[in-house]
Amino acid sequence: MAKIKPSQGAPFARIMGVGGYRPTRVVPNDVILETIDSSDEWIRSRSGIATRHWASPEETVTAMSVEAAGKAIADAGITPEQVGGVIVSTVSHFKQTPAVATEIADKIGANKPAAFDISAGCAGFGYGLTLAKGMVVEGSAEYVLVIGVERLSDLTDLEDRATAFLFGDGAGAVVVGPAKEPAIGPTVWGSEGDKSETIKQTVAWTDYRDGTVERFPAITQEGQAVFRWAVFEMAKVAQQALDAAGITAEELDVFIPHQANMRIIDSMVKTLKLPEHVTVARDVETTGNTSAASIPLAMERLLATGQAKSGDTALVIGFGAGLVYAATVVTLP
């Protein structure tokens, strides 16, 4: 019986570079109020959101991803040709096939990398990061590009008072590469499919195609149910990720949760009993909920503004439609 040669990867993996792209159009709450009966004060008090970015026709999923990827590759100090894997998490690329990752890989100048899309909603970045870590350690790629990208403005019902103000567009990317010591901790991830109705697409594409419904599909959610789940259950998952990494809240430098809602973020900080010295990402105020893009976009902004620095220890957690979640502790690039 022949023996299979073991994989020859790196001992560990780390995030080497990060990049982000936000569409040029900034949309204040006043624009949202043109189609729903609400107020700026109500939107801010419920979500913490003051503005969000909406993409133009030219700012496609591919175009935004290419911009974010280029910045991440440059930040990592590698060339596009060295990228051996491209993982794209999105729920707003409207071509079922081929994977948008293949188009992005070609446009950035990568040399025949593995390329595929994943659909894990707002937890998609965490899923992609975990897969990239495995590829680097396993040895199938030396450097892997992980992109979270969304054009959620295409899936927003502007007449839905519960969700019209929530969503924004953008792309965030990181490069994952080899490391000599642990810099991406164990991932605590999972799903609760019995709660899948709490965040969902309103109708199937085929219903719209066949004329069963007249309105284009949109994202809808049961706000209170999602809030309770995120605050109570995801705080537990975040703590499990800290425990798995052997890190205490006191040793943490940065907390980067999915940018869903400011009230959720603040409640998680309180439940986790994070010390005052921990920097907390609150990018949701000016970027809105960008689903899979929210964590890398928030990470990029914290580093760019000096609120976080290279080498800081950060807890990241994403959670959303499915319901799915993923949390891990990382060393910032």
Side-chain angles (χ1 to χ4, degrees):
M1 182 181 294
K3 292 185 178 180
I4 298 174
K5 183 179 178 180
S7 300
Q8 300 292 319
F12 305 104
R14 66 186 178 103
I15 299 175
M16 300 180 60
V18 60
Y21 180 83
R22 292 172 174 82
T24 55
R25 182 188 178 193
V26 177
V27 179
N29 288 337
D30 288 348
V31 172
I32 308 299
L33 296 174
E34 293 174 3
T35 51
I36 61 170
D37 180 16
S38 187
S39 68
D40 178 68
E41 180 184 7
W42 187 88
I43 292 173
R44 288 174 185 256
S45 65
R46 297 281 293 183
S47 67
I49 299 172
T51 61
R52 72 284 293 146
H53 295 256
W54 283 356
S56 67
E58 294 76 26
E59 291 169 316
T60 63
V61 165
T62 298
M64 293 190 293
S65 297
V66 169
E67 290 291 330
K71 294 175 183 177
I73 291 169
D75 192 44
I78 66 170
T79 65
E81 293 82 7
Q82 291 176 279
V83 174
V86 177
I87 303 172
V88 177
S89 178
T90 184
V91 298
S92 49
H93 176 60
F94 294 150
K95 287 185 179 178
Q96 192 71 36
T97 192
V100 73
T102 58
E103 181 181 358
I104 294 166
D106 177 63
K107 288 187 178 298
I108 65 172
N111 184 25
K112 299 180 181 180
F116 56 96
D117 299 349
I118 58 175
S119 177
C122 304
F125 176 75
Y127 275 53
L129 185 65
T130 302
L131 295 172
K133 171 187 173 183
M135 292 168 70
V136 171
V137 173
E138 187 266 345
S140 61
E142 186 175 11
Y143 302 104
V144 180
L145 182 65
V146 180
I147 301 170
V149 57
E150 301 292 1
R151 275 183 54 119
L152 294 181
S153 58
D154 292 333
L155 286 169
T156 299
D157 181 352
L158 293 177
E159 296 179 0
D160 181 359
R161 190 172 183 271
T163 62
F165 57 89
L166 287 176
F167 302 119
D169 303 336
V174 300
V175 172
V176 177
K180 294 182 180 179
E181 56 186 41
I184 301 175
T187 299
V188 178
W189 57 355
S191 65
E192 298 184 34
D194 60 314
K195 300 179 179 67
S196 61
E197 291 295 304
T198 56
I199 306 174
K200 64 181 182 179
Q201 183 172 306
T202 50
V203 296
W205 300 113
T206 49
D207 290 338
Y208 182 72
R209 180 199 65 188
D210 297 340
T212 306
V213 296
E214 294 183 357
R215 297 187 70 122
F216 192 75
I219 297 173
T220 186
Q221 68 176 34
E222 298 173 13
Q224 287 302 314
V226 173
F227 181 87
R228 290 192 297 270
W229 177 76
V231 170
F232 297 109
E233 297 304 319
M234 292 305 96
K236 296 176 186 177
V237 171
Q239 184 60 56
Q240 290 169 12
L242 287 173
D243 295 341
I247 299 293
T248 66
E250 289 290 337
E251 295 173 301
L252 200 63
D253 299 308
V254 184
F255 179 43
I256 311 177
H258 165 49
Q259 302 294 293
N261 180 302
M262 195 75 79
R263 291 169 61 214
I264 290 175
I265 294 171
D266 291 341
S267 295
M268 290 183 72
V269 169
K270 183 177 180 180
T271 303
L272 287 167
K273 298 179 180 179
L274 296 183
E276 289 188 6
H277 75 262
V278 175
T279 297
V280 179
R282 292 187 171 88
D283 193 46
V284 66
E285 180 180 4
T286 56
T287 307
N289 180 344
T290 56
S291 189
S294 77
I295 291 176
L297 278 175
M299 183 184 295
E300 185 265 348
R301 175 161 282 175
L302 288 177
L303 289 166
T305 58
Q307 297 176 71
K309 63 183 184 300
S310 175
D312 278 353
T313 300
L315 169 62
V316 299
I317 178 169
F319 45 86
L323 294 169
V324 295
Y325 55 87
T328 188
V329 175
V330 303
T331 301
L332 295 182

Short mmCIF file of all heavy atoms in Angstrom, two decimals, residues 36 50 68 96 114 120 122 130 133 136 138 168 174 176 181 187 191 196 212 228 249 281-282 290 300 306:
data_model
loop_
_atom_site.label_atom_id
_atom_site.label_comp_id
_atom_site.label_asym_id
_atom_site.label_seq_id
_atom_site.Cartn_x
_atom_site.Cartn_y
_atom_site.Cartn_z
N ILE A 36 -39.48 56.05 3.91
CA ILE A 36 -40.06 55.42 5.10
C ILE A 36 -40.50 56.49 6.09
O ILE A 36 -39.97 57.60 6.11
CB ILE A 36 -39.06 54.45 5.80
CG1 ILE A 36 -37.81 55.20 6.29
CG2 ILE A 36 -38.71 53.28 4.91
CD1 ILE A 36 -36.91 54.36 7.18
N ALA A 50 -25.47 56.78 10.89
CA ALA A 50 -25.71 58.15 10.41
C ALA A 50 -25.62 58.22 8.89
O ALA A 50 -26.38 58.95 8.25
CB ALA A 50 -24.71 59.11 11.04
N ALA A 68 -9.95 46.83 -3.24
CA ALA A 68 -9.59 46.41 -1.89
C ALA A 68 -8.44 45.41 -1.91
O ALA A 68 -7.51 45.47 -1.09
CB ALA A 68 -10.81 45.82 -1.19
N GLN A 96 -24.93 33.32 -10.77
CA GLN A 96 -24.76 32.08 -10.04
C GLN A 96 -23.43 31.42 -10.36
O GLN A 96 -22.79 30.82 -9.50
CB GLN A 96 -25.90 31.12 -10.37
CG GLN A 96 -25.99 29.91 -9.44
CD GLN A 96 -26.49 30.30 -8.06
OE1 GLN A 96 -27.33 31.18 -7.92
NE2 GLN A 96 -25.96 29.65 -7.04
N ALA A 114 -6.22 29.01 -6.91
CA ALA A 114 -7.52 28.46 -6.54
C ALA A 114 -8.43 29.64 -6.27
O ALA A 114 -8.02 30.62 -5.65
CB ALA A 114 -7.39 27.60 -5.28
N ALA A 120 -21.84 32.91 3.34
CA ALA A 120 -22.04 32.73 4.78
C ALA A 120 -22.48 34.04 5.42
O ALA A 120 -22.21 34.29 6.59
CB ALA A 120 -20.76 32.21 5.43
N CYS A 122 -23.08 37.50 7.00
CA CYS A 122 -22.23 38.41 7.76
C CYS A 122 -21.08 37.70 8.48
O CYS A 122 -20.18 38.35 9.00
CB CYS A 122 -23.08 39.17 8.77
SG CYS A 122 -24.46 40.05 8.01
N THR A 130 -10.74 31.41 8.02
CA THR A 130 -10.44 30.06 8.51
C THR A 130 -10.00 29.14 7.38
O THR A 130 -9.04 28.37 7.52
CB THR A 130 -11.67 29.48 9.22
OG1 THR A 130 -12.06 30.35 10.28
CG2 THR A 130 -11.38 28.10 9.79
N LYS A 133 -6.44 30.17 6.32
CA LYS A 133 -5.46 29.67 7.30
C LYS A 133 -5.16 28.21 7.02
O LYS A 133 -3.99 27.78 7.01
CB LYS A 133 -6.02 29.85 8.72
CG LYS A 133 -5.19 29.18 9.80
CD LYS A 133 -5.92 29.26 11.14
CE LYS A 133 -5.20 28.44 12.23
NZ LYS A 133 -5.95 28.46 13.51
N VAL A 136 -2.90 27.74 3.92
CA VAL A 136 -1.50 28.12 4.14
C VAL A 136 -0.78 27.06 4.98
O VAL A 136 0.34 26.65 4.67
CB VAL A 136 -1.42 29.50 4.83
CG1 VAL A 136 0.01 29.81 5.27
CG2 VAL A 136 -1.93 30.59 3.89
N GLU A 138 -1.73 23.94 5.43
CA GLU A 138 -1.73 22.67 4.70
C GLU A 138 -0.71 22.66 3.57
O GLU A 138 -0.21 21.61 3.16
CB GLU A 138 -3.14 22.41 4.17
CG GLU A 138 -3.37 21.06 3.52
CD GLU A 138 -3.17 21.09 2.02
OE1 GLU A 138 -3.13 22.19 1.44
OE2 GLU A 138 -3.04 20.00 1.43
N GLY A 168 -25.29 48.93 3.63
CA GLY A 168 -24.37 49.70 2.80
C GLY A 168 -23.56 48.79 1.90
O GLY A 168 -23.68 47.56 1.96
N VAL A 174 -8.06 40.92 3.00
CA VAL A 174 -6.82 40.66 3.73
C VAL A 174 -6.02 39.61 2.97
O VAL A 174 -6.57 38.80 2.21
CB VAL A 174 -7.05 40.16 5.18
CG1 VAL A 174 -7.83 41.19 5.99
CG2 VAL A 174 -7.76 38.81 5.19
N VAL A 176 -3.58 36.45 3.74
CA VAL A 176 -3.15 35.49 4.77
C VAL A 176 -1.93 34.76 4.25
O VAL A 176 -1.92 34.26 3.11
CB VAL A 176 -4.27 34.49 5.11
CG1 VAL A 176 -3.78 33.46 6.12
CG2 VAL A 176 -5.49 35.23 5.64
N GLU A 181 4.87 31.77 14.29
CA GLU A 181 4.17 31.56 15.56
C GLU A 181 2.69 31.84 15.35
O GLU A 181 2.32 32.52 14.39
CB GLU A 181 4.75 32.45 16.66
CG GLU A 181 4.74 33.92 16.33
CD GLU A 181 5.45 34.74 17.40
OE1 GLU A 181 6.50 34.30 17.89
OE2 GLU A 181 4.93 35.82 17.73
N THR A 187 -10.86 28.78 15.39
CA THR A 187 -12.15 29.39 15.05
C THR A 187 -13.28 28.68 15.78
O THR A 187 -13.36 27.45 15.79
CB THR A 187 -12.41 29.32 13.54
OG1 THR A 187 -11.37 30.04 12.86
CG2 THR A 187 -13.75 29.94 13.19
N SER A 191 -23.71 27.02 13.08
CA SER A 191 -24.95 27.51 12.49
C SER A 191 -26.13 27.08 13.35
O SER A 191 -26.05 26.09 14.08
CB SER A 191 -25.11 26.96 11.07
OG SER A 191 -25.26 25.54 11.09
N SER A 196 -33.31 30.23 10.75
CA SER A 196 -33.00 30.79 9.43
C SER A 196 -34.04 31.80 8.94
O SER A 196 -33.73 32.64 8.10
CB SER A 196 -32.86 29.66 8.41
OG SER A 196 -34.07 28.93 8.29
N THR A 212 -44.50 35.35 -10.14
CA THR A 212 -45.29 35.06 -8.94
C THR A 212 -45.36 36.27 -8.03
O THR A 212 -46.37 36.51 -7.35
CB THR A 212 -44.69 33.87 -8.17
OG1 THR A 212 -44.54 32.76 -9.07
CG2 THR A 212 -45.55 33.47 -7.00
N ARG A 228 -31.67 39.90 20.11
CA ARG A 228 -31.52 39.03 21.30
C ARG A 228 -30.49 37.94 21.04
O ARG A 228 -29.65 37.64 21.91
CB ARG A 228 -32.87 38.42 21.68
CG ARG A 228 -33.86 39.42 22.26
CD ARG A 228 -35.05 38.70 22.89
NE ARG A 228 -35.79 37.93 21.89
CZ ARG A 228 -36.81 38.42 21.19
NH1 ARG A 228 -37.20 39.68 21.38
NH2 ARG A 228 -37.45 37.66 20.33
N ALA A 249 -9.86 38.72 28.49
CA ALA A 249 -10.33 40.04 28.08
C ALA A 249 -9.31 41.12 28.43
O ALA A 249 -9.14 42.10 27.68
CB ALA A 249 -11.67 40.35 28.74
N ALA A 281 -14.31 48.57 17.46
CA ALA A 281 -14.68 49.07 16.13
C ALA A 281 -16.14 49.48 16.12
O ALA A 281 -17.02 48.69 16.48
CB ALA A 281 -14.42 47.99 15.09
N ARG A 282 -16.39 50.72 15.69
CA ARG A 282 -17.76 51.22 15.56
C ARG A 282 -17.93 51.87 14.19
O ARG A 282 -18.52 52.94 14.06
CB ARG A 282 -18.08 52.19 16.70
CG ARG A 282 -18.16 51.49 18.07
CD ARG A 282 -18.66 52.45 19.15
NE ARG A 282 -18.94 51.75 20.40
CZ ARG A 282 -18.05 51.53 21.36
NH1 ARG A 282 -16.79 51.95 21.20
NH2 ARG A 282 -18.39 50.90 22.48
N THR A 290 -22.44 46.21 6.15
CA THR A 290 -21.95 45.74 4.84
C THR A 290 -21.72 44.23 4.84
O THR A 290 -20.95 43.72 4.03
CB THR A 290 -20.66 46.47 4.43
OG1 THR A 290 -19.68 46.29 5.46
CG2 THR A 290 -20.90 47.95 4.20
N GLU A 300 -9.48 47.73 8.61
CA GLU A 300 -8.67 48.65 7.80
C GLU A 300 -8.75 50.06 8.34
O GLU A 300 -7.74 50.77 8.43
CB GLU A 300 -9.16 48.59 6.34
CG GLU A 300 -8.33 49.40 5.36
CD GLU A 300 -8.89 50.78 5.11
OE1 GLU A 300 -10.04 51.04 5.51
OE2 GLU A 300 -8.15 51.60 4.54
N GLY A 306 -4.98 54.87 13.17
CA GLY A 306 -4.11 54.75 14.34
C GLY A 306 -4.82 54.33 15.61
O GLY A 306 -4.21 54.30 16.69
#
